[in-house]
Amino acid sequence: MARAFYDLPPMTTLVAFEAAARHGSFKTAAAELNVTPGAVSHQIKALEGELGVALFERVHRGVMLTEDGQDLFTSVQSAFSGMSRSLAQIKRADTERAITVAATTAVSALWLTPRITAFWRERPDIRVNQVVSDARVEGSGPDLIIEYGLAKGRAGESCELFTDVLVPVASPEFVASRPVPELAALAAMPLIHMTAPNTNWTTWKHWFAALGYDGPLARGTRVNNYMIALQAAQDGVGVVLGWKRLVAPFLENGSLVSFGGYELPAPSSFYITRGPKTDARESVDLLERWLLG
């Protein structure tokens, strides 16, 4: 035990002694420690009995340290102050340690980054780093992982973040030059296909099938990054399958518009998952609640 190793008296007696010496009063020390003055007096007597010396002289309206008491107070106060500084530093380190959030390129650029920026304005003391990857995030590094659908084998607690709706989107110029299409006509138009590996996002084939069309699809253009697909659509290359909530900034500024009036609720939701080895940090809890809110 630490007490035996360091040859210390009970810690409760040292705490009571330090408070009484600092205030020069058993009554004020008792109020600080939320105990009775009698309890403080009892602890001081126990400490004096163990040391075999008097630590206080009882004077009118208070107490005064003896020479031995003053020596002990100097040592105890220095030790307590050192512990206080170390604990404060540890708490600061916990707050200042960066949180790592993993997301795909599209989720990071279109949804996550604006929210982290808003979080920084509220809590500039908490640093947030992003791991951006369109492949499935492996390992235990990130504190929070944002992804579409619940990945198989993903350890850690998951919460639904948001749902989305899938709509065809294209540039205003592309849409203006074409009539509102039937599904078969839309399927024959230049389509921008996503071919990114390790994703479970809905493809054009799945989208058309869910709406009851199982005919041929235009080969169109194939890209392996959703942000590139969106840029291609803005440039008039063709029609891309838009995740309505993610592409909201483009719909709002008019660089992309919904085409055809077709909508399909996404088969799954976006989830936020705590990394399997994420420690219990208040800063991680704060950011997770912020994103879920």
Side-chain angles (χ1 to χ4, degrees):
M1 294 176 63
R3 180 190 170 193
F5 182 83
Y6 291 105
D7 193 22
L8 294 174
M11 187 57 65
T12 53
T13 64
L14 294 176
V15 170
F17 166 77
E18 190 278 335
R22 180 161 36 85
H23 290 294
S25 166
F26 287 4
K27 183 178 180 181
T28 307
E32 178 183 300
L33 300 174
N34 199 28
V35 297
T36 65
V40 171
S41 178
H42 176 76
Q43 293 292 336
I44 299 300
K45 286 180 180 178
L47 181 59
E48 290 176 329
E50 180 156 335
L51 298 177
V53 297
L55 300 173
F56 290 97
E57 293 180 4
R58 278 62 176 175
V59 297
H60 183 59
R61 294 184 179 178
V63 291
M64 185 173 64
L65 286 168
T66 64
E67 185 175 345
D68 290 325
Q70 184 62 58
D71 289 343
L72 180 60
F73 177 59
T74 300
S75 298
V76 170
Q77 189 174 51
S78 176
F80 282 9
S81 296
M83 285 190 287
S84 178
R85 286 192 298 271
S86 295
L87 292 169
Q89 186 175 359
I90 291 170
K91 290 177 181 178
R92 271 198 310 276
D94 174 74
T95 301
E96 293 170 356
R97 199 183 333 162
I99 304 169
T100 303
V101 185
T104 64
T105 305
V107 171
S108 174
L110 301 175
W111 189 88
L112 179 60
T113 297
R115 283 157 179 79
I116 288 179
T117 301
F119 179 76
W120 278 333
R121 293 193 186 104
E122 293 287 332
R123 293 300 304 266
D125 56 312
I126 299 177
R127 293 185 295 117
V128 183
N129 295 334
Q130 290 192 56
V131 174
V132 180
S133 174
D134 290 327
R136 184 178 187 268
V137 176
E138 303 289 353
S140 58
D143 295 301
L144 299 171
I145 303 165
I146 296 174
E147 57 195 339
Y148 177 69
L150 286 174
K152 292 182 179 179
R154 175 75 73 206
E157 182 180 351
S158 298
C159 295
E160 185 180 73
L161 195 57
F162 61 85
T163 58
D164 213 333
V165 175
L166 303 170
V167 297
V169 296
S171 70
E173 295 77 16
F174 185 98
V175 172
S177 64
R178 291 168 174 80
V180 176
E182 298 293 332
L183 278 175
L186 177 62
M189 290 185 181
L191 301 178
I192 302 172
H193 298 269
M194 280 284 295
T195 59
N198 300 321
T199 65
N200 56 353
W201 287 27
T202 302
T203 64
W204 274 120
K205 180 180 179 180
H206 296 135
W207 185 85
F208 276 105
L211 292 177
Y213 174 82
D214 59 359
L217 302 179
R219 292 180 61 86
T221 302
R222 297 183 180 274
V223 298
N224 65 354
N225 181 284
Y226 192 58
M227 295 302 294
I228 295 175
L230 292 176
Q231 185 60 57
Q234 292 176 79
D235 293 339
V237 172
V239 188
V240 69
L241 193 56
W243 296 75
K244 197 170 184 180
R245 187 161 181 171
L246 288 183
V247 303
F250 300 113
L251 297 176
E252 291 167 1
N253 66 27
S255 59
L256 289 174
V257 295
S258 180
F259 185 36
Y262 301 103
E263 291 192 353
L264 177 71
S268 188
S269 301
F270 286 85
Y271 290 86
I272 185 168
T273 303
R274 293 179 78 100
K277 293 186 179 180
T278 298
D279 52 6
R281 275 185 284 158
E282 182 183 5
S283 55
V284 178
D285 295 338
L286 285 171
L287 178 58
E288 184 179 26
R289 287 197 298 269
W290 176 278
L291 296 175
L292 287 169

